Amino acid sequence: MKTIELGAERRELASKGERRQLRSAGRIPAVVYGGKKDAAPLSIDGKSLFQVLKGHGTNVIMNLKVGGAGETVLLKDLQRDFVTHNIVHVDFQRVSMTEKLEVNVPLHIVGEAPGVKLSGGILEHILRELRVRCLPADIPDGINIDVSALQINQGVKVKDLVLPKGVESLIDGGSLVVNIVAPAEASSNLARYDGV
């Protein structure tokens, strides 16, 4: 996995109004923590962060440059405004490239299931992320689920997924990821979910 560089500036702990001014200037309050160092309040350029997220997603290893020094970090949490969905705060976690960590990796469906296309079934996408453990350099951008051979009443379980080398699933292998169901069965499942 490629390491992306992101610039940051140290900031003082500020009041709500000062953080609002920071955001108005195009910067986002952030904090970096973990490792053997104290937590440090920072600010980052909003446009630069947006470009990183747009191009690489949230599981990207970053070299966070603060002044002249760099730290290897992983984006741990994004807080968004409830109304505008703008990012209002970011948490970064320091990581060691030689220690395994746990992350959620998105699951992507690829192919078209004959059970849907030819038999009128409905694809239920049950699990959308997989919790995995691996070294930071081995974090996959996503894991593909090939559904091109699935008929009605067939599915893919976690144990069926092809994981990259060095990546181990932390979810029970018997958990269903996707399933192809008959239309009548899907309707009864929806009724059950609605509390009927």
Side-chain angles (χ1 to χ4, degrees):
M1 173 177 271
K2 185 178 176 185
T3 300
I4 305 302
E5 196 162 294
L6 182 66
E9 295 175 2
R10 290 205 177 274
R11 67 178 173 90
E12 297 300 318
L13 290 173
S15 69
K16 191 173 184 179
E18 289 168 323
R19 289 192 304 270
R20 194 177 297 120
Q21 285 179 335
L22 193 66
R23 290 184 198 103
S24 295
R27 300 199 63 80
I28 300 171
V31 65
V32 60
Y33 58 84
K36 295 184 179 3
K37 298 180 182 177
D38 292 334
L42 307 169
S43 75
I44 54 175
D45 178 62
K47 288 181 182 176
S48 298
L49 178 65
F50 178 76
Q51 290 302 321
V52 169
L53 297 177
K54 182 179 172 188
H56 305 282
T58 56
N59 280 338
V60 63
I61 302 296
M62 293 180 232
N63 181 21
L64 194 63
K65 299 285 272 186
V66 183
E71 295 188 282
T72 304
V73 300
L74 184 68
L75 183 69
K76 194 65 176 173
D77 188 40
L78 279 177
Q79 296 170 21
R80 293 183 180 271
D81 182 272
F82 183 72
V83 176
T84 65
H85 299 287
N86 291 335
I87 299 169
V88 295
H89 193 274
V90 183
D91 289 359
F92 295 102
Q93 180 182 358
R94 296 180 185 102
V95 295
S96 165
M97 296 303 283
T98 59
E99 292 179 17
K100 289 187 175 184
L101 48 86
E102 297 178 8
V103 293
N104 290 329
V105 175
L107 297 171
H108 305 291
I109 293 176
V110 294
E112 192 168 4
V116 173
K117 185 176 181 182
L118 304 175
S119 303
I122 296 172
L123 186 141
E124 292 182 325
H125 194 170
I126 299 160
L127 193 62
R128 297 186 181 271
E129 288 185 325
L130 186 68
R131 186 80 174 164
V132 300
R133 180 185 295 123
C134 61
L135 290 171
D138 294 334
I139 299 173
D141 293 332
I143 297 169
N144 291 335
I145 310 161
D146 186 2
V147 298
S148 58
L150 295 182
Q151 300 292 341
I152 289 180
N153 297 324
Q154 292 182 332
V156 175
K157 295 183 177 180
V158 169
K159 66 182 177 184
D160 302 323
L161 297 175
V162 179
L163 301 180
K165 185 179 178 184
V167 177
E168 119 187 57
S169 170
L170 298 177
I171 296 179
D172 176 50
S175 299
L176 204 53
V177 180
V178 296
N179 191 28
I180 309 294
V181 296
E185 188 180 332
S187 298
S188 65
N189 285 346
L190 288 174
R192 270 200 306 276
Y193 295 139
D194 288 339
V196 177

